Amino acid sequence: MTRGRLRVYLGAAPGVGKTFDMLSEGHRRASRGTDVVAGLVETHARPHTAELLEDIEVIPRRTVTYRGTEFEEMDLDAILHRRPQVALIDELAHTNVPGSKNAKRWQDVDDLLAAGIDVITTINIQHLESLNDVVASITGVTQRETIPDEVVRRADQIELVDMSPEALRRRLAHGNVYAAEKVDAALANYFRVGNLTALRELALLWLADRVDDALEKYRVDEGIEAPWHTRERAVVALTGGPEGETLLRRAARIVNRGAGGELIAVHVSRSDGLTGAPPGALEKQRALTETLGGTFHQVVGEDVAEAILDFARGVNAALVVVGVSRRPRWQLSLREGVGARVVRESGPIDVHVVTHERAGQGTLPQRAEVLSRNRRMLAWVVALLGPIALTGALVALREIHELPIDIMMFLSLTVGVALIGGLWPAVTVAVFGSLLLNWFLTPPYYEWTIADPQNAFALLVFVLVAVGVASVVDLAARRTIQAARAGAEAETLSALAGSVLRGENTVLAILERLRERFGMESVTLLERHDPHELWTTVECAGGRPCSSPEEGSSEVMISDTLALALRGPVLEAGDRRVLEAFAAQATVVLERERLREQAQDARRLEEGDAIRTALLAAVSHDLRTPLAAIKAGVTSLSQDEVVFDPGDQAELLATVGQATDSLERLIDNLLDLSRLETDTVRPVTRPAALDEVVPRAVSSVPAESVQLDVPESLPLLTTDAGLLERALANIVENAVRYSPAGEPVTVSAAVVRSEVEIRVTDRGPGVNEADKGSMFRPFQRLGDGGSGSGTGAGGSVGLGLAVARGFVEALGGTLTADDTPGGGLTMVLRLPLSAGEA
């Protein structure tokens, strides 16, 4: 069965006309004889949209009951049974009611497509999963219904439904999108001009990427290798050298001349891993690329020019930016540079060659010395003295051996010198040995002439073989040492990466590992805020830190403001790669630590701001209530023209007293919360008896509303009796408030193992299990919706339980909530006994 085709109308914002366009397309297809049905269309009471739906067959919705409420959903089975050619289905990102066949509507659509039914659907840009957080940061509204981008990308056709922000706001103002009572709020919040402009740009950019994918697929399907320059896409070839920043900024200016330009940086690494740019330099250029809005890529290739051009063709680039070679002109005359090859072989791709201040000032890279200085000195000593000693020995035994034996002995000496000190000492042995063989061991003796031509040929072959063998041995020895060094380097970098994966991701851990790797006395990370300021120490591993990079035996300038200084033995040039890798990793970890600290500070500020906002919202109401009662009572009593009898006066005074008590409790709790938030609660502990503390704590509530079960035999507690009394008073007042009439609150105490457990039990409505964790947070009003004893005492702003838990924790105890058997809530307060009391 042929799979159905999917057409998506993508809206830049709600109200731009996606459903209208979908219905118009449905009418167009129906007029051509296509069987079209409306699987599910939301008109949102918009008259023009509803008119378009009138002439289209509508599949009735099915009713789903969930938690006692009925919901209407698309009837997938009815559409499959009807089997139209085209189904119109609105709101692709919709979440189905639990109990439906699929969790999401896009999954329903996938079933229809699998059945061979074409689907035309709609979705807004804010529902795409990849853009959900971006849209939330722009509009302040988090979309809870999202859809994977890949679902929309797989569509056969995507059409953007767009409208200028001003035109869309006019539609709202005319009542064409929302009801009149919602228009002002929509215009002032979600539908601000800035929001709509940003959403429109997001939609255009996302769709542009989708068009790029479709174009690339077409080029692959049609076998088109030549680049199509549909946008200004520039590839910058980076070597990791100092000219990289100049190239990146020049390319950024080029792509920014027109809309839709794209900056792509690429660095080519060789496959052997033994060459390449310093990691620190590449990391800086990667960061600059991202700052300029581009992307950084690293590819592997033996032929750098070919790799650059292959990459440029692969990304359909219109331009390649390369720098003028750093090598002098005489070196370029011997071998063509990478830039010149890119220009010569670029074909239809333009090449922009950028000059820079380092052009022509470099040299060919020198081969690193892999053999130690002592080995090379020993090799030269053997190369000069060894042939003389060997010649003396062979001359003394000249009568018992012939020239081939002599040549083999000198060849063995040549190989030995090559193993010790490399190529040139071995070549010296070969040349010097051939001269000694000719003079002392080849007839006629002590003359440079050779009587037998075969002997002359043997000496020539000896020299050639000796040089060849020495070259091979030297190359093998160097490759062995290089491989060992590369293996050690790889092991070190692997250990570095492993330390991050294992959680050793602190700057100090990275510096300590670097110090151990190179046997340094100390490793110091230095920082300065301005290139003209003095350096300050961020972290130091080991002994005495360096106060500046110049104090170290080795240093890495990570940036103008960060540097790594090592105190200890001087490092070889070959160790710089590992050193710079450590430096780059330390920089990343430092930045991560600071971002984490900033995030924590932001969270604390956000929490404080939330508390202040809630405080203002709550106190603005809850302070007014007792104040209004006090003012009303005092105003009434102070009127001369009204004479109150003693009963009325007593009632008014009682009202004033109750309101004053309520106001006092509220202010006390606010002050206590402030002390807890600023961590200024300092308990003053003394021995205290619970049978004295508990009665004082419940004295503020009617005596008939509380029953006490606190034995006098309980051991003394070493605690702050005042804080404990305040905590108990808040808990008891809270419980009394929610207890039914005639059901007193029970306060009991007992010793359980090494703790004193105080239980405050009520028979109120209780608290849902999910709300028990949040009921101790300030300003929670769980009781407002009938959810039980969640509101704090001392006014209704929800401070009582938060203050109570804060005081109990300051005393070293815990406060938790349990269900009362048979209904209600039990607050359990546990305080530890001292060792002697336990």
Side-chain angles (χ1 to χ4, degrees):
M1 180 182 295
T2 303
R3 183 178 175 85
R5 295 178 61 82
L6 177 63
R7 181 186 181 100
V8 176
Y9 284 95
L10 177 66
V16 294
K18 305 179 302 300
T19 304
F20 189 90
D21 286 359
M22 178 183 70
L23 291 172
S24 299
E25 176 65 15
H27 276 282
R28 185 181 68 82
R29 296 198 184 191
S31 66
R32 298 185 307 185
T34 303
D35 182 15
V36 179
V37 300
L40 189 140
V41 176
E42 299 286 0
T43 63
H44 298 292
R46 296 166 188 165
H48 298 299
T49 305
E51 289 176 5
L52 280 176
L53 187 59
E54 290 177 356
D55 298 332
I56 296 178
E57 178 186 348
V58 178
I59 302 295
R61 304 184 187 189
R62 65 186 181 91
T63 302
V64 181
T65 302
Y66 179 67
R67 292 186 177 179
T69 305
E70 292 187 345
F71 299 89
E72 290 188 342
E73 290 288 0
M74 184 182 76
D75 195 337
L76 174 61
D77 293 334
I79 301 175
L80 289 172
H81 180 73
R82 169 68 172 75
R83 294 195 61 81
Q85 291 177 286
V86 177
L88 309 179
I89 299 175
D90 224 347
E91 299 181 356
L92 184 61
H94 171 75
T95 301
N96 293 330
V97 175
S100 303
K101 177 183 177 182
N102 295 312
K104 289 284 195 175
R105 184 167 293 165
W106 66 263
Q107 294 170 324
D108 293 338
V109 167
D110 197 58
D111 288 347
L112 294 175
L113 295 172
I117 300 173
D118 292 348
V119 176
I120 304 177
T121 187
T122 65
I123 188 175
N124 281 329
I125 192 69
Q126 67 264 26
H127 294 292
L128 293 175
E129 183 66 48
S130 66
L131 301 178
N132 185 255
D133 57 338
V134 180
V135 173
S137 66
I138 293 171
T139 64
V141 178
T142 301
Q143 300 293 334
R144 303 195 180 278
E145 293 188 324
T146 60
I147 182 173
D149 292 40
E150 184 59 28
V151 175
V152 183
R153 286 184 180 275
R154 288 200 304 259
D156 299 281
Q157 291 178 307
I158 302 177
E159 183 171 333
L160 179 64
V161 184
D162 190 17
M163 184 178 291
S164 69
E166 294 77 11
L168 181 54
R169 286 170 60 85
R170 282 197 300 272
R171 289 198 65 193
L172 264 75
H174 294 158
N176 294 333
V177 179
Y178 294 139
E181 63 272 14
K182 298 181 180 179
V183 170
D184 290 340
L187 290 172
N189 294 287
Y190 193 91
F191 288 86
R192 295 195 300 269
V193 172
N195 289 357
L196 296 177
T197 303
L199 291 174
R200 190 183 191 194
E201 183 174 1
L202 283 176
L204 290 169
L205 290 174
W206 189 91
L207 191 60
D209 286 340
R210 173 65 177 82
V211 172
D212 268 353
D213 293 342
L215 177 60
E216 185 61 28
K217 182 177 183 300
Y218 176 80
R219 293 177 63 223
V220 171
D221 293 343
E222 298 297 325
I224 301 173
E225 298 182 358
W228 286 5
H229 301 157
T230 53
R231 67 165 70 183
E232 192 68 52
R233 183 180 283 120
V235 170
V236 184
L238 297 178
T239 65
E243 77 281 0
E245 295 185 9
T246 302
L247 269 63
L248 286 170
R249 291 192 170 91
R250 183 73 180 104
R253 290 195 296 271
I254 293 173
V255 299
N256 289 333
R257 289 172 180 170
E262 188 175 350
L263 175 66
I264 305 174
V266 61
H267 171 73
V268 179
S269 300
R270 298 188 185 277
S271 59
D272 58 12
L274 299 177
T275 60
L282 282 180
E283 193 60 37
K284 288 175 62 177
Q285 293 178 9
R286 179 194 297 273
L288 177 60
T289 303
E290 294 172 353
T291 301
L292 295 173
T295 57
F296 184 93
H297 302 267
Q298 201 158 352
V299 299
V300 176
E302 292 298 329
D303 191 321
V304 177
E306 183 179 348
I308 292 171
L309 290 173
D310 286 344
F311 179 83
R313 296 186 188 102
V315 299
N316 196 24
L319 177 69
V320 172
V321 178
V322 296
V324 175
S325 177
R326 298 197 304 271
R327 293 189 296 167
R329 185 174 300 176
W330 67 269
Q331 293 182 359
L332 292 175
S333 64
L334 299 177
R335 190 177 67 180
E336 188 179 28
V338 171
R341 279 198 58 203
V342 170
V343 172
R344 178 167 54 81
E345 300 176 7
S346 61
I349 301 177
D350 294 338
V351 179
H352 192 96
V353 182
V354 179
T355 187
H356 50 87
E357 58 183 12
R358 299 295 183 94
Q361 297 182 7
T363 58
L364 282 171
Q366 299 296 318
R367 182 169 60 180
E369 290 292 346
V370 297
L371 301 176
S372 67
R373 183 170 177 270
N374 290 336
R375 285 186 60 174
R376 286 183 278 117
M377 289 183 61
L378 176 62
W380 281 111
V381 171
V382 174
L384 296 175
L385 300 181
I388 297 175
L390 180 60
T391 301
L394 293 175
V395 168
L397 302 173
R398 188 165 52 189
E399 300 299 329
I400 61 175
H401 58 79
E402 296 181 354
L403 182 62
I405 300 297
D406 300 335
I407 292 176
M408 293 302 298
M409 295 297 294
F410 270 94
L411 184 59
S412 300
L413 178 63
T414 303
V415 172
V417 171
L419 289 173
I420 298 174
L423 176 63
W424 293 112
V427 171
T428 301
V429 171
V431 174
F432 189 24
S434 66
L435 296 176
L436 293 176
L437 282 169
N438 186 4
W439 184 265
F440 291 102
L441 298 171
T442 304
Y445 302 122
Y446 312 116
E447 295 181 14
W448 294 116
T449 59
I450 301 175
D452 189 348
Q454 292 184 359
N455 290 339
F457 180 74
L459 286 176
L460 176 61
V461 170
F462 161 71
V463 173
L464 296 178
V465 170
V467 172
V469 170
S471 301
V472 172
V473 171
D474 172 67
L475 181 61
R478 290 180 179 276
R479 285 292 181 260
T480 301
I481 296 174
Q482 287 176 342
R485 173 169 292 175
E489 179 180 322
E491 183 179 352
T492 301
L493 296 178
S494 175
L496 175 62
S499 67
V500 176
L501 293 176
R502 289 190 300 270
E504 303 173 20
N505 56 343
T506 63
V507 174
L508 186 58
I510 298 295
L511 299 185
E512 185 62 35
R513 187 170 290 276
L514 175 59
R515 188 185 69 82
E516 294 173 356
R517 166 66 176 80
F518 293 111
M520 291 292 167
E521 176 187 339
S522 68
V523 179
T524 310
L525 182 62
L526 300 167
E527 184 180 31
R528 59 184 177 183
H529 298 291
D530 186 86
H532 304 291
E533 294 182 1
L534 296 177
W535 293 94
T536 59
T537 300
V538 178
E539 285 286 0
C540 177
R544 186 163 50 94
C546 299
S547 59
S548 67
E550 292 76 16
E551 284 191 14
S553 56
S554 300
E555 50 84 21
V556 176
M557 293 299 299
I558 303 171
S559 66
D560 291 338
T561 58
L562 277 176
L564 203 61
L566 291 80
R567 190 189 298 275
V570 178
L571 295 180
E572 298 181 9
D575 294 325
R576 295 291 297 185
R577 284 176 53 83
V578 177
L579 180 59
E580 297 210 10
F582 271 98
Q585 185 64 40
T587 305
V588 171
V589 172
L590 176 64
E591 183 178 357
R592 188 185 306 154
E593 287 180 354
R594 291 179 172 175
L595 288 175
R596 189 182 299 117
E597 293 173 359
Q598 292 174 6
Q600 291 174 351
D601 292 341
R603 276 196 298 271
R604 285 194 291 268
L605 290 174
E606 185 178 358
E607 291 171 359
D609 186 63
I611 290 177
R612 285 191 293 272
T613 302
L615 175 64
L616 291 173
V619 172
S620 63
H621 173 268
D622 294 300
L623 279 178
R624 291 176 186 272
T625 302
L627 285 174
I630 295 171
K631 183 176 181 180
V634 172
T635 302
S636 299
L637 291 171
S638 63
Q639 290 180 355
D640 296 333
E641 62 272 14
V642 179
V643 179
F644 295 95
D645 58 41
D648 292 337
Q649 287 184 353
E651 185 177 350
L652 286 172
L653 289 173
T655 301
V656 171
Q658 292 173 358
T660 304
D661 292 340
S662 177
L663 183 61
E664 182 181 11
R665 289 194 299 271
L666 175 60
I667 292 174
D668 286 343
N669 278 329
L670 287 172
L671 293 175
D672 290 339
L673 179 65
S674 175
R675 293 168 60 200
L676 290 169
E677 291 289 336
T678 56
D679 197 24
T680 56
V681 176
R682 297 291 183 267
V684 179
T685 59
R686 295 187 180 88
L690 279 180
D691 58 327
E692 296 177 0
V693 174
V694 174
R696 292 198 301 268
V698 302
S699 61
S700 60
V701 299
E704 66 275 8
S705 62
V706 181
Q707 288 183 353
L708 299 183
D709 181 14
V710 184
E712 296 181 0
S713 59
L714 289 174
L716 294 177
L717 277 176
T718 302
T719 187
D720 188 319
L723 291 182
L724 179 57
E725 182 182 327
R726 290 293 305 282
L728 279 172
N730 280 353
I731 297 170
V732 172
E733 290 172 3
N734 188 77
V736 168
R737 178 178 296 107
Y738 290 98
S739 291
E743 293 283 350
V745 172
T746 301
V747 181
S748 61
V751 175
V752 179
R753 292 185 291 275
S754 60
E755 295 178 324
V756 168
E757 187 176 273
I758 305 172
R759 303 177 75 89
V760 181
T761 305
D762 66 56
R763 294 291 179 179
V767 175
N768 294 330
E769 190 66 32
D771 294 329
K772 288 179 181 176
S774 60
M775 64 186 294
F776 294 101
R777 292 202 296 266
F779 314 113
Q780 299 301 306
R781 297 177 178 269
L782 304 180
D784 291 355
S787 46
S789 312
T791 308
S796 61
V797 295
L799 297 176
L801 294 183
V803 171
R805 172 173 272 190
F807 282 168
V808 170
E809 290 178 349
L811 296 173
T814 61
L815 179 62
T816 57
D818 288 340
D819 293 330
T820 301
L825 189 71
T826 298
M827 306 298 293
V828 183
L829 190 159
R830 296 183 178 90
L831 291 172
L833 289 170
S834 64
E837 294 162 346

